Amino acid sequence: MHLPSRRAGVRLTLLYGALLVASGAVLLALTYLLVLRFPADRVLVDGAEAGMGAGTDASTGRTGGGFPGVRSAVRSGDVFALLQEQAARQHADQLRELLVQSGVALTVMLVVSAVLGRLVARRVLRPLRTMTGTVQRISAHTLHERLAVQGPADELKEFADTVDGLLGRLEAALQSHRRFVADAAHALRAPLTLEHTLLRETLTDRDATAETFRASSERLLEISQRQARLLESLLALAGSHRGLVHREELDLALLAEWALHVARPDSERHGLSVSAAVAPAPVTGDPALVQRLVSCLVDNAVGHNRPGGRVEITTAVRDGHAVVSVANTGDPVAPEQVNRLFEPFRGARRTADDGHAGLGLAIVHAIALAHDAVISARARPDGGLAVEVAFPKRMVRNGDPRKGADDIGQLDKGTGPH
């Protein structure tokens, strides 16, 4: 039956009312069946025997009191049949009366069950209405509010606690988004301001020469390249949050070798000692994103280092997980600040102002999240950071596990370290 209203209160009222009416109908039906099964002739014989016992004197054997002439009536077949027929009619009348009264009682029960069903439904839905009203009042400016339902640990409290947890995650995500937008705007505004200043100085300088214009143009080109790298990193971060488009078989060892090759000029310029212990570590993932993850780890280790420091990179398979770990020397990092390094624009101070905006570890975190990988990071006692990314277990397929990364040079070279 299609109900005109889909409100939960109406449905619960009908459900509770139907249950009460059904229970009452079953009870009345059982009562009627029990009365129907009771034999009418048993009432007649018991009554006759009771009458005989009551009208007979045990000492004299004479009949007195009770019903006179009962013994003769019982012995008479015609009178007995007449009384039996009368008892049957009386029993049938009683059954009809019981059926009518049962119908009246069931009708009254229908009304009572509707009222009780409505009251119970309102009682049950009252906490949900309260929670719904609170959630409807919560907006982007009041995400700090919570349902905070008190009471026993039942299904409603569990639901309210789940909603509170969701609101907490939304609040944290919104705050992170606002902070990210503010930091990105600041990172983009600074080079724009510098470009504007250089252009104004060049145009207002009456003694400017071709060399002056050339020097200004070179600086503007460098600033433009930094902005391009920042925008590329922002796009990579956004693409990582969207998830995986496709998956291929890769080898972290080849990706690590490629990342070290790209970072070699910077490491040599700062006199860094690079130690690599790469073993085959097959994974299944997005080639460009996994390459960006490894490149960002290496770039972070090279950039956040001290002159003459060390960089250590390892790839291996551990407990069925493909693992890549990168460690470096550098400035001491407080253990409580390690997790903050994976937030956008929260990178530590680099060895040189090379235009990196502090998005490397944030990109690593986003890519690892997209691949269901686990990141563990710790501050080294002598300074620097050790980061390890463990990819989930994969099915080992027949063939070369390094397939899919053999042509690593053909990957987008724009996905190098930033």
Side-chain angles (χ1 to χ4, degrees), residues 118-199:
R118 181 60 178 172
L119 293 177
V120 173
R122 294 182 62 182
R123 176 76 176 180
V124 170
L125 294 177
R126 185 181 303 168
L128 290 178
R129 291 195 184 96
T130 302
M131 288 187 287
T132 301
T134 303
V135 173
Q136 289 176 345
R137 289 196 306 270
I138 294 177
S139 63
H141 302 287
T142 58
L143 276 178
H144 61 278
E145 295 185 15
R146 297 293 183 269
L147 299 179
V149 174
Q150 304 296 329
D154 53 8
E155 288 79 1
L156 289 178
K157 189 176 188 307
E158 183 179 359
F159 174 74
D161 293 342
T162 302
V163 173
D164 286 342
L166 176 61
L167 292 175
R169 292 190 294 272
L170 288 175
E171 182 183 14
L174 182 60
Q175 291 177 352
S176 176
H177 174 71
R178 289 173 175 171
R179 185 169 58 249
F180 174 78
V181 171
D183 292 339
H186 176 75
L188 291 172
R189 183 178 60 182
L192 289 176
T193 303
L194 183 57
E195 286 181 350
H196 181 76
T197 302
L198 287 175
L199 290 173

Side-chain angles (χ1 to χ4, degrees), residues 8 36 74 93-95 122 159 190 196 267 291 305 387 389:
L36 180 64
V74 171
D93 293 339
Q94 290 175 349
L95 287 177
R122 294 182 62 182
F159 174 74
H196 181 76
S267 60
Q291 182 195 8
N305 214 317
V387 182
V389 181

Side-chain angles (χ1 to χ4, degrees), residues 150-356:
Q150 304 296 329
D154 53 8
E155 288 79 1
L156 289 178
K157 189 176 188 307
E158 183 179 359
F159 174 74
D161 293 342
T162 302
V163 173
D164 286 342
L166 176 61
L167 292 175
R169 292 190 294 272
L170 288 175
E171 182 183 14
L174 182 60
Q175 291 177 352
S176 176
H177 174 71
R178 289 173 175 171
R179 185 169 58 249
F180 174 78
V181 171
D183 292 339
H186 176 75
L188 291 172
R189 183 178 60 182
L192 289 176
T193 303
L194 183 57
E195 286 181 350
H196 181 76
T197 302
L198 287 175
L199 290 173
R200 179 179 293 275
E201 289 179 354
T202 303
L203 293 176
T204 56
D205 186 5
R206 298 181 179 275
D207 299 328
T209 62
E211 293 297 329
T212 304
F213 280 103
R214 182 177 181 84
S216 298
S217 298
E218 290 177 350
R219 292 190 62 186
L220 289 174
L221 180 60
E222 180 183 357
I223 295 173
S224 177
Q225 291 174 345
R226 292 184 180 183
Q227 287 181 289
R229 287 195 294 267
L230 174 58
L231 291 176
E232 185 180 351
S233 298
L234 292 174
L235 290 175
L237 185 60
S240 303
H241 284 295
R242 284 198 303 266
L244 302 183
V245 178
H246 65 282
R247 296 174 181 264
E248 294 182 11
E249 293 186 9
L250 306 166
D251 191 353
L252 293 178
L254 289 179
L255 297 179
E257 293 173 355
W258 172 255
L260 290 175
H261 173 73
V262 173
R264 182 176 301 169
D266 289 339
S267 60
E268 292 178 351
R269 185 169 61 253
H270 295 101
L272 302 179
S273 173
V274 179
S275 173
V278 294
V283 298
T284 301
D286 187 290
L289 291 181
V290 178
Q291 182 195 8
R292 173 63 69 93
L293 180 144
V294 178
S295 298
C296 287
L297 287 176
V298 174
D299 173 63
N300 182 77
V302 172
H304 298 281
N305 214 317
R306 62 170 180 259
R310 299 188 313 277
V311 175
E312 302 170 0
I313 182 169
T314 303
T315 62
V317 176
R318 189 182 308 152
D319 298 329
H321 298 269
V323 178
V324 55
S325 59
V326 179
N328 69 322
T329 55
D331 296 333
V333 179
E336 62 274 9
Q337 297 295 323
V338 171
N339 290 334
R340 289 180 55 85
L341 297 178
F342 291 89
E343 299 177 4
F345 302 101
R346 291 296 186 272
R349 182 179 61 84
R350 299 180 65 92
T351 56
D353 183 13
D354 50 7
H356 293 79

